[in-house]
Amino acid sequence: MLIYSSMQAMDLELLKLRSNTLNHIRSFFSEKTFLELDTPSLSRTLIPESCLEVFETHFIEPFSEKQQKLYLLPSPELYIKQIIAEHRLSVFQISKCYRNVESIGRLHSPEFTMLEYYSVNADYMDSLFLTETLFSSFEKNKKVSSFFGNSLPDFLKPPFIQLSMNEAFKSYAGFYLDDCKSSAALAEEARRLGLYESKENPLDSWQMDDLYELIFVSEVEPKLPTEKPVALMDYPSFVPCLAEDKDEAHKERWELYIRGIELANCYSEERDSVKVKTYFESEGKIKMQKALVKHPIDEDYYKIFYNFPRCSGVALGFDRLLMLLAGKSSIDSVLPVRLF
C-alpha cells in the first residue's frame, strides 16, 4: 500500500494496540449489556454548540444535480439520544467525529475517534464509577496492559481525584467561583490575576462564561494534579450545556483530566424539554450570528425529551486515551494515518 509522503503511518505495534483496545472496550460494554450503535456521520441538522465549528458538504442528486447541504457530525449524540428516547436502553458507540477550525497539534485533529456511552437509570456519579471500572479493566487484558508493564501507572489508576470546580478555582486561582455572582466580579478576579486585557476588548465587556473560560484555561487547568486522574465536578450553571441542574448554581457534570489533558466529558443528561428547547434557541442564535459555518437546527428535537429516561452520558477521546495507554506524548503516534 502506498502512503503518500505528506501522510504519516502508525507503526505495527501501535496499530495492534489500537485494535486490541477497541476490541477490549467493545467487550467491556457488551458484557455490561450496553448495545453498540453505529449511527450516521452525516446529518441535515445539528445540535447547536457555539464553541464548535463543523464541516459542511453536499449530496448531489443524480440526474437533476440538485444539491443538499449536509454536515459531518462533531458527535453522534444527535442520533444516540433519539434511539435512547425510543428504546430506553444503555448504549455505546465508537465513532469518527469531525470538528472544523480545530487547532492541529499533539492533542488535536479535525477528524478523531470518540467513545460515547450512555447509561439509562443512572446519573453522573454512576458514570464516574463506570469510567473508573473501565480504566481498571485495562490491566486485565494482556494485549493492552503489555504496553504499560501490566500494571496501570498511577496517573491512569482509579480511584479518580474528585475536585469540585468551586474548590479548583479556590486552590489554583485564589477565589471561590461560587462567590462570583456577576461578570463584573469575575472580570475583577481576572484583572487581579493579571490576565490579558486590551483597550479594544476590556474585560468588563466580556460575558460571564467567557471570563470563566479565560480564568480556567489560564490559571486552573495548567495547575491540576498530574499524579492521579482528576474528575472536575459540578460545573457552574452559567456555562450553557445539556446537563441537569444539581442545584441553582451547579450542573451535574464532570470532566476527566489525566496529566493535565482533558480526556472525557460527562453529564446527567437534561430531560426537561423546555430547557432543551431554550438551549437550542439560545445556542442557535449565537451560531447564526458568529459561526464560520452556519447550519440549520432541528426545531422539533426537544420533543424527544417529553418522556426521556433518566440517563447519563460520557464522551471520551479515544485517540488521547490510546496515547496515554501507550505512554506517548502526542496523538500523532497513535493515529493510523495522520493527514494534517
Side-chain angles (χ1 to χ4, degrees):
M1 177 180 177
L2 175 63
I3 301 296
Y4 291 101
S5 60
S6 61
M7 301 179 183
Q8 176 185 350
M10 186 197 299
D11 72 37
L12 181 57
E13 289 306 308
L14 287 170
L15 278 172
K16 290 178 180 178
L17 175 64
R18 190 178 185 96
S19 176
N20 292 332
T21 306
L22 288 170
N23 288 335
H24 176 77
I25 288 170
R26 286 191 165 96
S27 295
F28 175 87
F29 284 104
S30 295
E31 288 171 2
K32 294 186 178 298
T33 69
F34 281 62
L35 180 68
E36 182 173 8
L37 300 181
D38 185 19
T39 59
S41 292
L42 292 169
S43 180
R44 294 183 178 87
T45 61
L46 297 173
I47 293 173
E49 297 178 89
S50 57
C51 60
L52 299 179
E53 292 286 351
V54 300
F55 285 92
E56 177 185 308
T57 188
H58 298 83
F59 168 62
I60 303 173
E61 297 179 11
F63 310 115
S64 70
E65 296 187 5
K66 290 182 180 178
Q67 295 190 12
Q68 294 183 36
K69 282 186 180 181
L70 294 169
Y71 303 89
L72 289 167
L73 287 174
S75 161
E77 173 186 3
L78 178 80
Y79 292 120
I80 290 176
K81 286 185 175 178
Q82 294 176 54
I83 293 170
I84 292 173
E86 182 170 353
H87 298 289
R88 308 176 75 83
L89 78 174
S90 299
V91 300
F92 77 100
Q93 181 162 323
I94 299 168
S95 311
K96 289 297 184 185
C97 298
Y98 306 88
R99 296 185 183 178
N100 212 344
V101 198
E102 274 286 310
S103 301
I104 297 172
R106 73 181 191 92
L107 298 177
H108 294 90
S109 175
E111 177 187 273
F112 61 98
T113 303
M114 184 95 83
L115 164 65
E116 295 204 12
Y117 44 101
Y118 290 76
S119 305
V120 170
N121 299 321
D123 64 13
Y124 74 142
M125 295 304 298
D126 297 310
S127 286
L128 187 63
F129 176 74
L130 178 63
T131 305
E132 289 181 329
T133 306
L134 171 63
F135 273 55
S136 295
S137 74
F138 291 131
E139 283 189 338
K140 301 172 185 177
N141 187 314
K142 292 183 179 179
K143 291 181 179 179
V144 176
S145 64
S146 61
F147 266 81
F148 48 77
N150 300 313
S151 177
L152 274 175
D154 287 345
F155 67 83
L156 283 167
K157 186 174 292 186
F160 303 157
I161 296 170
Q162 295 181 32
L163 183 65
S164 75
M165 189 62 79
N166 189 45
E167 294 168 338
F169 266 69
K170 178 60 176 176
S171 295
Y172 307 120
F175 69 98
Y176 285 114
L177 186 59
D178 287 356
D179 289 342
C180 292
K181 307 296 186 184
S182 66
S183 56
L186 270 181
E188 186 58 34
E189 293 293 349
R191 198 171 285 116
R192 174 185 63 80
L193 291 164
L195 300 183
Y196 176 75
E197 184 172 17
S198 68
K199 292 181 179 179
E200 298 77 17
N201 192 23
L203 292 172
D204 291 327
S205 69
W206 289 39
Q207 297 294 317
M208 198 165 182
D209 56 332
D210 292 328
L211 287 162
Y212 151 84
E213 185 70 15
L214 173 67
I215 297 170
F216 176 71
V217 171
S218 302
E219 297 293 324
V220 179
E221 194 176 52
K223 300 174 185 175
L224 292 174
T226 57
E227 69 278 4
K228 292 279 287 183
V230 179
L232 280 180
M233 313 291 295
D234 303 332
Y235 274 55
S237 293
F238 60 76
V239 178
C241 70
L242 289 171
E244 284 194 336
D245 293 328
K246 180 178 182 178
D247 50 45
E248 289 185 2
H250 306 99
K251 293 281 188 181
E252 290 194 351
R253 174 185 179 185
W254 54 259
E255 287 195 346
L256 179 62
Y257 281 79
I258 295 181
R259 284 191 160 179
I261 297 168
E262 180 191 345
L263 185 67
N265 188 19
C266 173
Y267 303 160
S268 294
E269 299 292 341
E270 181 60 75
R271 296 177 291 152
D272 186 320
S273 61
V274 174
K275 290 182 178 179
V276 174
K277 187 173 188 289
T278 300
Y279 175 89
F280 269 52
E281 290 172 348
S282 174
E283 288 290 290
K285 185 177 180 181
I286 296 171
K287 271 285 188 183
M288 295 310 294
Q289 290 174 346
K290 297 182 178 180
L292 297 175
V293 182
K294 297 175 174 59
H295 60 77
I297 295 158
D298 184 349
E299 295 181 356
D300 292 326
Y301 191 78
Y302 71 93
K303 293 178 181 178
I304 73 170
F305 296 92
Y306 283 164
N307 190 29
F308 199 78
R310 180 168 168 261
C311 178
S312 175
V314 178
L316 187 151
F318 176 76
D319 303 309
R320 292 184 181 183
L321 172 64
L322 199 65
M323 176 191 79
L324 291 161
L325 287 173
K328 302 296 183 182
S329 60
S330 170
I331 62 171
D332 280 345
S333 57
V334 297
L335 296 177
V337 177
R338 183 72 192 235
L339 298 179
F340 297 91

